Amino acid sequence: MSLTSLLKGKKDQDRLVQQILRNIIPAKSDFYTLSGKNPFSSKYVIRAPYQLDKPYDSSVVGTAFDYLARFIIAQKIKDYRLSVLEKLNASRGLDIVHAYFPSNIRKKVQGKYEQGIKKLEDL
């Protein structure tokens, strides 16, 4: 389950997430820029330029944002907690580790993965 599917979803659970986001996302008028120009316009001064060297890096940033959004939503909606654990990229990465790495590394990565899952279940 991706963040995009939640935002576009029609299920009751999706609608609840959408309503929560509407209530917590600041209004456009609440934003400002250091330059004093209108936020979200093309006239603002960029203070944090795009510095990713490889296009792949943007997918890592996107995954991190997706995880953060999932965890924040899970804290707000207790019934949503276990849904957060569905289709995590981390589980696919774990499959790759199990397929291509020696057992000592597999065990170490598996342990770290399980620690993370346990923390998420305890949200």
Side-chain angles (χ1 to χ4, degrees):
M1 171 186 307
S2 69
L3 181 58
T4 303
S5 66
L6 275 175
L7 296 175
K8 293 181 178 182
K10 303 291 185 208
K11 297 178 188 171
D12 288 340
Q13 179 179 333
D14 298 336
R15 288 193 178 114
L16 181 58
V17 170
Q18 293 162 6
Q19 185 61 41
I20 288 172
L21 290 175
R22 282 188 203 98
N23 289 331
I24 63 174
I25 293 174
K28 186 176 178 180
S29 61
D30 293 336
F31 290 90
Y32 65 92
T33 63
L34 296 174
S35 66
K37 296 190 171 58
N38 289 333
F40 307 107
S41 75
S42 59
K43 298 176 182 175
Y44 67 90
V45 176
I46 296 176
R47 298 288 181 178
Y50 183 87
Q51 294 183 335
L52 299 177
D53 295 330
K54 301 175 207 141
Y56 169 78
D57 292 342
S58 63
S59 69
V60 175
V61 172
T63 298
F65 180 82
D66 179 68
Y67 279 23
L68 182 60
R70 288 176 187 229
F71 304 153
I72 290 170
I73 292 167
Q75 286 178 323
K76 302 282 184 192
I77 309 173
K78 296 301 179 190
D79 293 340
Y80 180 69
R81 281 188 309 196
L82 296 179
S83 297
V84 165
L85 304 176
E86 292 177 11
K87 297 181 184 174
L88 292 175
N89 284 339
S91 63
R92 285 183 261 170
L94 187 61
D95 293 340
I96 292 169
V97 169
H98 280 284
Y100 297 103
F101 288 84
S103 66
N104 62 326
I105 293 175
R106 289 194 305 257
K107 288 178 186 175
K108 190 174 187 178
V109 172
Q110 180 75 38
K112 292 287 187 184
Y113 177 83
E114 289 172 4
Q115 285 175 355
I117 294 299
K118 176 73 173 123
K119 286 180 182 180
L120 292 174
E121 290 172 341
D122 292 341
L123 281 176

